[in-house]
């Protein structure tokens, strides 16, 4: 795939009709949230620039019983946000290079989240296929860890109309250590979308 494609800027009229997702959207089963985030818009206002990406690939991490989830290691300073209320950003650093962003789901204390793996560029966003490149393109770093996604500067919104999306389910990527959990089909992406990180 060509991750250097550029999508046209979103129209002003469409932008004005987008609706920020409510807390109740995130306070549901994590796999449901992961599927229904597809086609929604991640929006970040920073440094006077508005960046918008359409979410096209996600992964669900179901809580401490899920051996692939960070929360499987228990409550730590790193995972504290995962154990908090739904609708907050869980941002962490990997490989000494990239940040990755998750949205916290389900009730407080459940410690589940959805990793955002790829967005389709809509406005002021460059190469964004893969969780690390997504964060770099959207200007997301550890300063946004714990950020409330019901804020006015960093949030997820639905478009003016519900889109008909064909969803593909596959095993998650890079979790071979998680025994039988590595085979669970908890990665979701929009079929045929060129911005998906890996088919």
């Amino acid at each position: 795939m060509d991750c250097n494609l550029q999508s046209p800027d979103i129209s002003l009229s469409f932008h004005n009709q987008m609706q920020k997702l409510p807390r109740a959207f995130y306070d549901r089963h994590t796999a449901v949230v992961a599927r229904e985030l597809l086609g929604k818009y991640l929006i970040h206002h920073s440094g006077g620039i508005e960046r918008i990406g359409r979410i096209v690939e996600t992964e669900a991490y179901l809580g401490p019983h899920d051996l692939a989830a960070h929360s499987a290691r228990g409550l730590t300073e790193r995972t504290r946000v995962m154990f908090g209320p739904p609708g907050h950003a869980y941002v962490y650093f990997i490989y000494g290079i990239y940040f990755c962003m998750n949205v916290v789901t389900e009730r407080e204390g459940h410690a589940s989240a959805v990793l955002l793996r790829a967005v389709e560029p809509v406005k002021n966003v460059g190469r964004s296929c893969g969780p690390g490149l997504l964060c770099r393109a959207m200007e997301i770093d550890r300063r946004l860890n714990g950020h409330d996604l019901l804020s006015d500067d960093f949030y997820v919104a639905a478009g003016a109309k519900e889109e008909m999306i064909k969803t593909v389910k596959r095993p998650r990527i890079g979790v071979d250590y998680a025994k039988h959990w590595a085979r669970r089909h908890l990665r979701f992406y929009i079929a045929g979308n060129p911005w998906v990180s890996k088919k």
Side-chain angles (χ1 to χ4, degrees):
M1 62 158 290
D2 182 0
C3 270
N4 295 308
L5 291 168
Q6 278 289 351
S7 295
D9 278 1
I10 194 168
S11 70
L12 182 60
S13 60
F14 182 79
H15 182 281
N16 290 339
Q17 294 177 63
M18 288 197 294
Q19 296 291 319
K20 186 186 303 180
L21 299 182
R23 185 88 58 206
F25 178 91
Y26 304 103
D27 191 11
R28 299 179 298 156
H29 191 280
T30 306
V32 172
V33 176
R35 284 194 303 270
E36 294 191 7
L37 278 169
L38 297 177
K40 303 297 192 293
Y41 294 87
L42 180 64
I43 301 172
H44 185 206
H45 297 266
S46 176
I49 298 173
E50 180 183 57
R51 295 175 174 83
I52 303 176
R54 178 174 175 256
I55 299 168
V56 298
E57 183 182 5
T58 62
E59 286 181 350
Y61 290 86
L62 304 184
H65 63 291
D66 179 349
L67 298 181
H70 287 179
S71 54
R73 303 175 182 89
L75 175 62
T76 65
E77 192 56 40
R78 185 193 200 195
T79 62
R80 187 173 304 280
V81 173
M82 281 188 80
F83 284 84
H88 288 74
Y90 168 47
V91 181
Y92 57 89
F93 198 48
I94 59 167
Y95 309 133
I97 304 172
Y98 293 118
F99 290 98
C100 292
M101 180 200 164
N102 299 250
V103 297
V104 178
T105 55
E106 303 195 43
R107 67 186 184 279
E108 186 168 357
H110 188 73
S112 54
V114 175
L115 173 68
L116 303 186
R117 281 201 58 89
V119 297
E120 177 181 339
V122 174
K123 184 178 181 182
N124 295 320
V125 175
R127 190 166 177 248
S128 55
C129 50
L133 293 174
L134 180 159
C135 284
R136 184 174 290 174
M138 294 288 302
E139 291 287 321
I140 297 168
D141 59 28
R142 64 166 50 92
R143 290 173 294 183
L144 291 170
N145 187 39
H147 196 95
D148 191 342
L149 294 173
L150 271 68
S151 67
D152 291 330
D153 59 345
F154 186 46
Y155 58 94
V156 182
K161 293 181 179 179
E162 278 297 318
E163 302 176 63
M164 294 297 293
I165 291 174
K166 182 179 179 182
T167 303
V168 179
K169 295 194 298 183
R170 292 287 184 270
R172 293 170 294 187
I173 296 171
V175 296
D176 293 344
Y177 58 85
K179 301 180 181 178
H180 62 283
W181 282 97
R183 299 189 296 273
R184 294 283 299 274
H185 283 211
L186 292 169
R187 181 167 68 98
F188 306 91
Y189 61 85
I190 297 176
N193 188 278
W195 293 93
V196 171
S197 66
K198 186 176 181 180
K199 299 298 188 291

